[in-house]
Amino acid sequence: MPDWKKIRSDFPVLDQQVHGKPLIYLDNAATTQKPRVVLEALARFYARDNSNVHRGLHTLSMRATDAYEGARARVGKFINAADPAEIIFTRGTTEAINLVAASWGGANLQPGDVILLTEMEHHSNLVPWQLIAQRTGAKLRYVPILGADVEGGLDLAQLDALLTPEVKIFAFTHVSNTTGTINPAAHLCSRAKKVGAITVIDGAQSIGHLPVDVRTIGCDFYAFSGHKMAGPTGIGALYGRRALLDAMPPWQGGGGMISLVDYFESRWKPSPERFEAGTPNVADAVALGVACDYLDALGRDQIAAHDGALARLAYEKLSVLPGIRLLGPRGERSGLVSFAFKDVHAHDIVTFADEDGIALRGGHHCNQPLMKKLGLTSTTRASFYVYNTAEEIDVFAASLRRILKFFGGA
Ligand code: 7TS
């Protein structure tokens, strides 16, 4: 069992005061903080190994290439990919989903085909599909949610009616960034497979929080961001099954992705180079590999238990506040709580909590359609990670009581 109290000192940014109070960082669903080992890996790469990859024969270039390809293998191992070539480095989840939509979707979707999504998707797993639907004539269809303030899960009873043979892609989030719902990813993939649909999982909120094994889940694609798993911004990955990737066309052209170029036509390298045109983000990829080591040393099952316990504790402490509407499941949930008050705007709560040194997030969380469905325009969200503690939840709950009192709500 990790010593959770000691872990805090691994994160230099947490050692500061905000408005004279110790920083309590509860905005981890937006981005997590980075441990010292990740910061050092970035500095070390630039101080010792910096060079462009793949195109050089000199020592530094070979070192940079080894480090970059080593990071690819490490990230592949982190999610149990069968082959490092199944890992394509991207800027993050958003770019990874855009890659699948543009490349697989552009090559395969026909008018009348259906892209199945869910009503709880982040804009990143929504807008790219709208764009490719417009280009190809495919249609969008949604798995509805049960009331999000009841349990916040998908209405799985509708799956039989929705998963018809016209469905070519089923793209869904592993964990909701607004309700904290953990979707039954393996079950959804096996249901999609029965009608021959490929599956794309948005892993932005799961990758750093739960054990993720793409082969056990049985998905075709899995997209995630490094900055939500203790790694740097500007780096993430798309996992794709090799057979699918090898049959997909490039989505961006440039150096590094070709085997031969002539004035009028070119030939592509296989995956992953085919999908990584231009100089890649070498330093951040290397540091992402170090973030994988850091999280695996803690144990992702332990992290899931820790974050989930904090979220359940917060849910219980907040549920007694007058007039609160708490979203998502009461029991098993990922490490976040999202809530709304009728008379106090989320932005006011976030601003007032900041005075107590607490970092929260208020708004639609890039979930505008879900907000509309819930009859809300915004929620306040507290999201937890390895360095958060039960004591911080107490301070957070006390701060909310103070804020409600100020607004005349308690
Ligand atoms: N999918 C989900 C479920 C997310 O929560 C996010 C980011 C993304 C995709 C996009 O990730 P990116 O790294 O490509 O930007 N979510 C949030 C959030 O909840 N608050 O800020 C960013």
Side-chain angles (χ1 to χ4, degrees), residues 107-122:
N108 292 288
L109 290 171
Q110 309 278 340
D113 287 346
V114 171
I115 301 165
L116 184 62
L117 305 171
T118 85
E119 286 184 342
M120 65 171 78
E121 298 312 314
H122 185 279

Side-chain angles (χ1 to χ4, degrees), residues 75-82 174 185-186 189 201 206-207 210-219 222 239 300:
V75 169
K77 198 169 143 230
F78 192 68
I79 58 169
N80 198 28
H174 198 164
C189 289
I201 300 184
S206 42
I207 190 70
L210 314 172
V212 171
D213 178 330
V214 288
R215 282 190 277 170
T216 303
I217 292 171
C219 57
Y222 200 95
Y239 157 81
R300 275 176 285 164

